[in-house]
Amino acid sequence: MTTVSHLECSGTGKTYPAGQAINLSPDGWPILVRYDLDKARDGWNRDWISSGPSNMWRYAPVLPVSKPSNIVTLGEGMTALVRTNTLGAALGAKDLWVKDEGLNPTASFKARGLSCAISMCKELSITKIAIPSAGNAASASAAYAAAAGIECHIFMPKDVPHSNFIECKSFGAHVTLVDGLISDCAKIVADRNQEEGWFEVSTLKEPYRIEGKKTMGYELAEQLQWRLPDVILYPTGGGVGLIGMWKAFEEMEALGWIAKGKRPKMISVQAEGCQPIVRAFNEGAERSTFYENAQTVSSGLRVPKPLGDFLVLRAVRESGGTAIAIPDDEALADGIELAKMEGMFAAPEGAACVSAVRRLLKGGFLNPEEKIVIYNTGAGLKYLEAYSPLFPR
Ligand SMILES: *Cc1c(COP(=O)(O)O)cnc(C)c1O
């Protein structure tokens, strides 16, 4: 079971006891979960993993839940990693892969984060949660809360994809549509959670969602026989998947599961209409600034000021990666290319990574021989409004 040792403030390094319901640190920074990785290395072997459950809980020793009966699972994780021969050839990439996170419960990788966070809520006897969401996190929290019998309060922008709204209502969540962005939704939750007795599960405002998301990194290593690719492209909203994978690589190095110093270049892909990370990266800044008038059909990327921006920027820079913004029309067109050539219908967030590969190969940042992995973070079927204009009937 878990080898969790303590919680740690990402800003000050101060430590706190594990196993508690906690939001930001008293100093105002995200809190990260730490493990006794020496103990994990002695008592656990990567060769045993394939005989574990066929979901992300096969990595339970590096997840925070201490009692197996508290795990709330809908079969998240163990998604397909598909080699794209036709698309790769068309783009000029000889070794291009797509990790299809659209195959998760509720059709996005958000299932991983919420499976972990809701399991921790169960373990900590939390009965009511609230979440501000750009869309898919709402669907996933509604689903896992339903499975756990936890009351779920959702705040999301009123122009969220219809699929997210219908899903949340179907799962019995209390849904409020807000005339604004995820940042406005976050303000409402922050103002009301005290009096309502909600535990807030916004990413990085609690320590457990990122732990679920990091399993994308463990799983990729396992699927590639413990050799990481040269390049990872990740569509970045809050950037927590990217930070999570970077944390997973650090942990796997400490576990002796992967070679040290051979991490992939991490490429943060954003939408042209909302690119705070790209702007900060290009300016050499440590933090992003609020991106005014954020607009994109990639609802998961519509995060004008990511809370963990400094961690995203640090990981991208340390990895020798870069950050790039893609216009929506280009992302949607490449979503159709991917669908036609490979039979995978991607969310526009994932599709933007196809455009990014093409641009970065053309510009010489990537080379055709590299092993490149695109994260398609969600299913295209959730974005019918975005794709519909391409197919008038
Ligand atoms: C939430 C979301 C993202 C962004 O994820 P972060 O890890 O918060 O950057 C990307 N794509 C989809 C489909 C999403 O739902």
Side-chain angles (χ1 to χ4, degrees):
M1 253 297 117
T2 185
T3 59
V4 68
S5 56
H6 61 277
L7 303 176
E8 184 183 293
C9 172
S10 63
T12 64
K14 281 187 207 159
T15 64
Y16 301 93
Q20 56 172 315
I22 192 167
N23 289 114
L24 292 179
S25 76
D27 298 299
W29 299 90
I31 285 184
L32 301 174
V33 181
R34 297 298 181 196
Y35 300 85
D36 183 345
L37 295 173
D38 289 336
K39 183 169 147 197
R41 186 167 48 191
D42 293 343
W44 193 31
N45 188 314
R46 71 181 192 193
D47 298 330
W48 303 342
I49 289 175
S50 60
S51 59
S54 193
N55 59 53
M56 72 173 202
W57 294 96
R58 66 211 272 124
Y59 309 109
V62 287
L63 292 171
V65 174
S66 48
K67 262 177 73 188
S69 58
N70 289 324
I71 291 174
V72 184
T73 177
L74 297 170
E76 54 294 320
M78 296 314 289
T79 57
L81 177 64
V82 180
R83 187 161 188 175
T84 67
N85 293 315
T86 313
L87 179 72
L91 296 178
K94 294 193 179 139
D95 202 6
L96 178 67
W97 300 70
V98 174
K99 176 83 171 137
D100 194 1
E101 290 291 302
L103 299 171
N104 275 300
T106 67
S108 87
F109 82 101
K110 294 293 195 306
R112 295 177 187 265
L114 271 310
S115 174
C116 188
I118 298 292
S119 298
M120 284 306 291
C121 287
K122 192 171 166 194
E123 184 150 292
L124 300 168
S125 305
I126 289 164
T127 57
K128 294 182 200 172
I129 60 161
I131 186 166
S133 168
N136 288 323
S139 300
S141 56
Y144 286 90
I150 288 174
E151 194 176 301
C152 180
H153 296 264
I154 283 165
F155 295 82
M156 54 189 180
K158 70 175 188 330
D159 52 357
V160 75
H162 200 48
S163 58
N164 295 126
F165 177 72
I166 298 292
E167 266 183 303
C168 293
K169 295 295 278 185
S170 303
F171 291 129
H174 302 262
V175 180
T176 307
L177 294 177
V178 175
D179 187 8
L181 295 174
I182 186 172
S183 41
D184 302 294
C185 300
K187 275 183 207 125
I188 299 175
V189 173
D191 287 346
R192 289 183 53 191
N193 60 15
Q194 198 90 30
E195 69 181 273
E196 301 280 358
W198 300 331
F199 180 64
E200 182 177 352
V201 293
S202 323
T203 20
L204 289 181
K205 276 197 191 167
E206 57 75 51
Y208 305 118
R209 274 176 68 189
I210 182 173
E211 293 304 293
K213 289 182 171 189
K214 87 180 176 190
T215 60
M216 286 193 290
Y218 277 90
E219 204 172 289
L220 182 67
E222 183 186 350
Q223 287 174 321
L224 294 174
Q225 285 78 48
W226 310 103
R227 270 191 302 271
L228 296 176
D230 300 305
V231 181
I232 288 177
L233 290 105
Y234 185 77
T236 306
V240 184
L242 192 153
I243 305 167
M245 282 194 268
W246 199 245
K247 184 172 188 281
F249 300 154
E250 185 183 313
E251 290 173 1
M252 283 189 286
E253 286 179 1
L255 288 167
W257 289 9
I258 58 170
K260 279 203 172 118
K262 287 196 181 159
R263 297 206 201 164
K265 284 184 265 190
M266 304 298 282
I267 298 177
S268 169
V269 180
Q270 296 206 291
E272 194 177 66
C274 182
Q275 43 170 315
I277 295 291
V278 176
R279 186 168 65 185
F281 180 82
N282 290 335
E283 289 170 350
E286 272 173 44
R287 305 224 49 164
S288 66
T289 49
F290 192 92
Y291 203 87
E292 298 292 341
N293 305 315
Q295 211 174 9
T296 168
V297 295
S298 295
S299 46
L301 306 187
R302 214 159 47 137
V303 182
K305 173 69 175 98
L307 190 63
D309 52 5
F310 63 108
L311 297 170
V312 179
L313 288 159
R314 206 181 285 165
V316 168
R317 289 189 176 116
E318 267 177 41
S319 76
T322 189
I324 181 170
I326 305 294
D328 280 357
D329 54 351
E330 190 175 330
L332 291 169
D334 277 326
I336 303 305
E337 288 299 290
L338 171 62
K340 274 190 189 144
M341 291 186 187
E342 304 293 341
M344 278 182 280
F345 188 28
E349 291 88 339
C353 294
V354 176
S355 314
V357 168
R358 181 187 291 104
R359 286 183 178 214
L360 293 170
L361 280 165
K362 206 174 272 175
F365 186 86
L366 294 180
N367 85 57
E369 311 291 330
E370 286 174 311
K371 186 187 275 294
I372 302 172
V373 175
I374 285 174
Y375 272 79
N376 172 39
T377 40
L381 278 178
K382 298 196 86 169
Y383 295 81
L384 295 183
E385 297 99 324
Y387 280 109
S388 286
L390 279 76
F391 302 104
R393 328 200 273 183

